[in-house]
Amino acid sequence: MAFLSDLATGSTRSYDNGAGAGNPALMENVRLFKNSKERDWYENLGDLYAVVNSIEQLEKAYIRDCITPKEYTAACSRLLVQCKSSFKLIKSPEFETIAAFMKRFKFDCPAAMDRIKDDSPITIREDKGNTSKSIADIVAVSTGKCVLTERSVLTERVYRLHACFHCIYRISSQSWIN
C-alpha cells in the first residue's frame, strides 16, 4: 500500500526485499516520472492496460456462459468506449495503435483485440442487408418459388440442400418392415 501512495505523491523511497542489501547500485532511488504530465501519462497507460484486460476477461466470461447476453452487451459497450478514451489520452508516435501498445508491453489478449477491432460487442451484429436477402432466399426455396440466377449461388445451394433433406425425410418416413 505504501508503494501506491508513493507513486501518487512522487516519493523516491527505495524498496528492498533483502536481495540487494550488500549492493548499493540496487538500493538506488528510482523516480518513475519527472513531472505531473508524465505521471498522468503513466496512469493513462495503466488505465488502458486495465480496460483491455477487462475486455479480455469479459469475453472469457461470456464464452463460459457466466453472464447473460444483456449484461455482456452493456459491459462490453461501456468498456469499448473507455478503451477509445484511454487510447486517445496516450496516443503518441510510440503507440500509433492499440496493437502497438500491446506489442510493446508483451500483452496478449486476442479476444479483446478482436472485440476492439470490431468496435462492438459480439451480441450486436451488423446487418448490411445480407440477412434479409438470406431469409428471402430460404423462404423462396421452402415455398418452391425459387428462381435460380447467376447472382444467387447461395439460393441454388440452399435449394439443393432442401431437396436432399426432402429425400431423406421421405425415405425415413417409409416403413421398411413388411
Side-chain angles (χ1 to χ4, degrees):
M1 210 52 178
F3 174 74
L4 293 177
S5 64
D6 291 343
L7 181 63
T9 61
S11 174
T12 59
R13 185 185 322 179
S14 62
Y15 292 91
D16 182 27
N17 63 1
N23 189 346
L26 294 178
M27 296 298 294
E28 185 177 322
N29 289 334
V30 177
R31 284 202 53 100
L32 299 176
F33 44 83
K34 296 175 186 161
N35 54 36
S36 62
K37 184 177 180 181
E38 278 187 19
R39 183 185 68 219
D40 289 343
W41 191 74
Y42 281 113
E43 285 178 3
N44 293 334
L45 284 175
D47 290 343
L48 180 60
Y49 185 91
V51 170
V52 171
N53 193 30
S54 297
I55 293 171
E56 180 74 13
Q57 299 311 314
L58 180 67
E59 290 294 314
K60 288 179 182 179
Y62 181 69
I63 289 168
R64 294 177 182 144
D65 206 23
C66 296
I67 58 174
T68 66
K70 187 176 180 180
E71 292 171 325
Y72 165 80
T73 302
C76 190
S77 297
R78 188 184 76 248
L79 286 169
L80 288 170
V81 169
Q82 290 174 344
C83 185
K84 284 182 197 175
S85 299
S86 295
F87 183 67
K88 285 179 184 176
L89 294 173
I90 66 143
K91 198 161 187 178
S92 68
E94 185 179 3
F95 305 120
E96 293 283 331
T97 63
I98 292 178
F101 166 79
M102 294 177 69
K103 184 177 179 181
R104 164 69 172 81
F105 293 107
K106 298 177 177 84
F107 190 37
D108 186 35
C109 291
M113 279 306 298
D114 287 344
R115 202 56 37 233
I116 292 166
K117 285 179 186 174
D118 290 347
D119 194 31
S120 67
I122 199 167
T123 53
I124 298 175
R125 305 258 186 233
E126 287 188 28
D127 179 17
K128 297 178 181 170
N130 297 333
T131 304
S132 299
K133 183 183 180 313
S134 297
I135 291 170
D137 289 343
I138 291 169
V139 168
V141 167
S142 66
T143 59
K145 297 178 182 174
C146 180
V147 177
L148 299 178
T149 62
E150 288 182 33
R151 69 177 181 83
S152 183
V153 175
L154 176 65
T155 304
E156 181 180 353
R157 289 182 182 158
V158 171
Y159 180 74
R160 288 181 184 168
L161 190 62
H162 176 72
C164 290
F165 283 132
H166 184 68
C167 289
I168 292 170
Y169 174 75
R170 282 189 311 172
I171 291 170
S172 66
S173 65
Q174 292 177 354
S175 173
W176 294 96
I177 303 174
N178 291 332

